[in-house]
Amino acid sequence: MAQVQTFLEQLYHEFKGITDGKLASYIPELARADPGWFGISIVTLDGRSFEVGDVAQKFTIQSISKVFVYGMALEDYGREKLLRKVGVEPTGDPFNSLIRLDEDSKRPDNPMVNAGAIATTGLITGSDPAERLNRMLSMFERYVGNEVFVDVSTFMSEKTTGHRNRAMAHLMLNFGMIEQPIEEALDLYFQQCAVLVTTHDLAVMAATLANQGVNPITGQRAVGSEHVRDILSVMYTCGMYNFAGEWAFRVGIPAKSGVSGGIMAVVPNQAGIAVFSPLLDGHGNSVRGLKVFEALSRFELGGFLRGHQLGL
Ligand code: GLN
């Protein structure tokens, strides 16, 4: 629908000039991003794309990977068994918080913050690190519909500086929440975060979740439909870290952000939406990304963001 495309173009021009926020630099490789990058993509379940800006620019998926790896763990373990290892409770704390890891907590709070994500990744099955990585890459490929690759520079950059995540893994090991070998789990976690995607890819991945787990472009199933509800629930309650409540209030659809500047959101049964712009606010969410989603939820598309028919 021309109206949607025109609206996206308006938003792009309106927000392109915003230079608030900062590039993530605690992973040194991320500080090399161009702060001007900005792309918006909507992919509908009948395979149409509405896009503007740098939608073909590759970047590392970072925390958005947690959504898909959680889906994989649900398939590998089943809901109840996984729930005993990783909870589904929002923390209200930053994504990299260590605060709630103590003797009394039996498991990390949820799979969308780093502690829970590292524990979830440590559960992925496979006979050795290469098999686990290959299983994970195949899973991402089903969502994207193309081959995916790990950006080795970003992987190495995080592996050699990720002391906080390493500390978290050691604490969880000490409390009996995860098992050895934790270095392998951390490597796999850093690799999943360094998977390269484009804004368009992320919108297709979100559209796959909107389509009960079937990629709307390739027709291939990426995840069992019985797991999609659980994935979307944790996205909705925990996906935007300590901004999750405000996001639910302001935008109102399941979403996940990452420190490289992506935000991916799912409109069940209708579309996937992704925005990429690397300047981040204090919560680690893309500044322009938030603006775009707030505007989308106000537009007459607002109806569709809240589950009404989009009529695209
Ligand atoms: N790889 C990043 C980390 O663990 C992902 C964090 C994020 O995107 N919020 O710190």
Side-chain angles (χ1 to χ4, degrees), residues 26-27 30 61-66 95-96 112 114 118 158 165 189-190 193-194 241 256-261 283-284:
Y26 73 100
I27 301 173
L30 293 184
I61 189 168
Q62 296 301 332
S63 274
I64 301 173
S65 64
K66 293 168 179 169
F95 65 88
N96 58 2
M112 301 291 118
N114 287 11
I118 294 166
E158 188 165 17
N165 284 329
Y189 171 74
F190 295 143
C193 290
Y241 321 119
K256 183 78 199 81
S257 68
V259 285
S260 51
H283 296 107

Side-chain angles (χ1 to χ4, degrees), residues 70-310:
Y70 183 58
M72 200 175 170
L74 281 167
E75 291 199 311
D76 282 358
Y77 279 80
R79 185 180 208 240
E80 294 311 317
K81 208 165 152 200
L82 183 58
L83 206 48
R84 286 198 287 276
K85 302 268 184 197
V86 182
V88 289
E89 210 52 45
T91 61
D93 296 319
F95 65 88
N96 58 2
S97 178
L98 290 144
I99 251 155
R100 289 166 57 86
L101 291 176
D102 58 33
E103 277 92 348
D104 298 331
S105 47
K106 306 229 167 351
R107 54 187 179 179
D109 292 285
N110 72 69
M112 301 291 118
V113 291
N114 287 11
I118 294 166
T120 304
T121 300
L123 293 171
I124 294 306
T125 59
S127 55
D128 57 28
E131 188 181 316
R132 289 190 280 275
L133 175 62
N134 285 333
R135 286 193 67 230
M136 195 181 266
L137 293 177
S138 307
M139 175 276 292
F140 280 118
E141 285 171 359
R142 292 194 297 275
Y143 281 97
V144 174
N146 288 307
E147 261 189 308
V148 301
F149 299 96
V150 172
D151 182 59
V152 178
S153 309
T154 308
F155 164 63
M156 286 308 293
S157 182
E158 188 165 17
K159 180 179 163 71
T160 50
T161 57
H163 308 303
R164 195 179 175 108
N165 284 329
R166 191 161 278 111
M168 241 176 246
H170 279 278
L171 268 178
M172 289 193 287
L173 180 66
N174 183 250
F175 297 140
M177 296 178 185
I178 59 173
E179 285 162 25
Q180 289 280 27
I182 57 171
E183 281 304 325
E184 288 182 12
L186 283 163
D187 272 356
L188 190 56
Y189 171 74
F190 295 143
Q191 284 157 350
Q192 79 181 53
C193 290
V195 162
L196 285 166
V197 289
T198 64
T199 312
H200 174 78
D201 291 338
L202 277 183
V204 174
M205 295 167 93
T208 301
L209 289 172
N211 196 32
Q212 297 302 321
V214 174
N215 182 316
I217 312 293
T218 63
Q220 196 185 13
R221 176 164 290 289
V223 63
S225 58
E226 67 277 27
H227 301 303
V228 171
R229 197 191 76 151
D230 293 344
I231 296 170
L232 295 181
S233 298
V234 290
M235 277 174 78
Y236 193 56
T237 52
C238 314
M240 302 297 286
Y241 321 119
N242 43 341
F243 190 72
E246 208 160 324
W247 172 273
F249 183 75
R250 288 173 187 271
V251 183
I253 50 172
K256 183 78 199 81
S257 68
V259 285
S260 51
I263 302 181
M264 173 194 89
V266 175
V267 190
N269 303 319
Q270 301 207 51
I273 310 177
V275 182
F276 167 57
S277 170
L279 292 172
L280 307 180
D281 68 10
H283 296 107
N285 294 324
S286 166
V287 174
R288 289 183 190 138
L290 291 179
K291 296 251 181 238
V292 170
F293 278 102
E294 275 186 55
L296 281 176
S297 80
R298 282 197 306 268
F299 182 55
E300 61 179 279
L301 287 180
F304 107 85
L305 289 187
R306 290 174 198 278
H308 304 294
Q309 278 306 312
L310 178 53

